[in-house]
Amino acid sequence: QGDPTYQAVVDSSGKAVGGKYNPVTKTIDVKIKNSDTYTVKENKKDFTDIVNKTKEMQNAITVLASKGIINGISETSFAPDLSITRAEIAALIVRTLSKYDPDEDGGFSDVPRSAWYFGVAGSAKKHGIMVGNKDIFFPLDTIPKDQITAVAARVLRNEMKYKDPEDVNKELSVYTDVTSL
């Protein structure tokens, strides 16, 4: 019951593990890796600090939070203007693609097994989403725009089979900040 946009598959501890509405089958689909008892429920999140953002941004944050892909800094605050770290962008992408394995070891010297991003960094490396620099991931560094662009391009090529444009410079020339990439 409820709006499928905000429905999620939730494990026995109440944690959303994802869920995408399939309009053909009228079901919520999710890849599940662990044995548990799961429930489908409306899981809409309301953050008080996104009300002054565009409707599109509010909707994206609410939907992604309801699916357990992103989290706020508390139950009622999202902090939409904070910078994003390499670990956070990796988490967002591996969760979105259902490629997160909490036990995946990427072999990074700066990613301790006890860190929340241990499996995130390992999963991102395993699936070629983010590889770090040799054995260093830099998980808590703010990720610059050029790295986000590279990660997004890599994901689109690998997961969605996008092709690189013939003339990359021509495509990028429409952006006023192209020289910063």
Side-chain angles (χ1 to χ4, degrees):
Q1 293 181 351
D3 185 345
T5 305
Y6 305 108
Q7 287 179 339
V9 175
V10 179
D11 67 16
S12 62
S13 70
K15 180 181 175 192
V17 296
K20 182 177 178 182
Y21 181 70
N22 183 332
V24 174
T25 62
K26 296 183 179 171
T27 60
I28 303 291
D29 297 338
V30 67
K31 293 180 184 177
I32 296 174
K33 296 181 174 127
N34 298 319
S35 179
D36 198 350
T37 301
Y38 295 93
T39 307
V40 175
K41 70 176 212 171
E42 187 170 274
N43 193 43
K44 188 172 183 181
K45 303 291 181 182
D46 291 311
F47 297 110
T48 58
D49 60 347
I50 64 172
V51 295
N52 294 326
K53 299 299 176 185
T54 66
K55 290 293 180 194
E56 293 84 6
M57 182 184 277
Q58 289 178 44
N59 187 52
I61 291 168
T62 305
V63 169
L64 292 172
S66 73
K67 306 295 184 186
I69 293 170
I70 59 175
N71 301 301
I73 59 170
S74 74
E75 284 296 314
T76 58
S77 295
F78 183 75
D81 296 320
L82 289 181
S83 297
I84 190 167
T85 66
R86 289 177 47 82
E88 291 166 337
I89 196 77
L92 190 146
I93 294 171
V94 298
R95 289 176 187 151
T96 298
L97 298 174
S98 296
K99 295 192 178 221
Y100 173 60
D101 178 351
D103 299 316
E104 190 64 52
D105 185 353
F108 297 112
S109 62
D110 60 344
V111 179
R113 185 170 287 280
S114 61
W116 71 263
Y117 48 81
F118 175 81
V120 164
S123 297
K125 180 178 180 180
K126 177 182 179 180
H127 296 287
I129 296 165
M130 296 173 74
V131 293
N133 183 359
K134 297 184 183 175
D135 74 333
I136 303 172
F137 191 71
F138 306 102
L140 303 179
D141 287 4
T142 298
I143 188 166
K145 189 185 320 183
D146 63 328
Q147 289 182 18
I148 291 176
T149 303
V151 169
R154 192 174 304 120
V155 169
L156 289 171
R157 275 194 305 272
N158 295 343
E159 299 296 325
M160 306 294 294
K161 307 302 179 214
Y162 277 44
K163 304 289 183 204
D164 289 338
E166 288 184 28
D167 187 351
V168 173
N169 291 328
K170 177 183 173 194
E171 299 296 326
L172 292 176
S173 69
V174 300
Y175 300 102
T176 58
D177 61 349
V178 69
T179 58
S180 69
L181 290 176

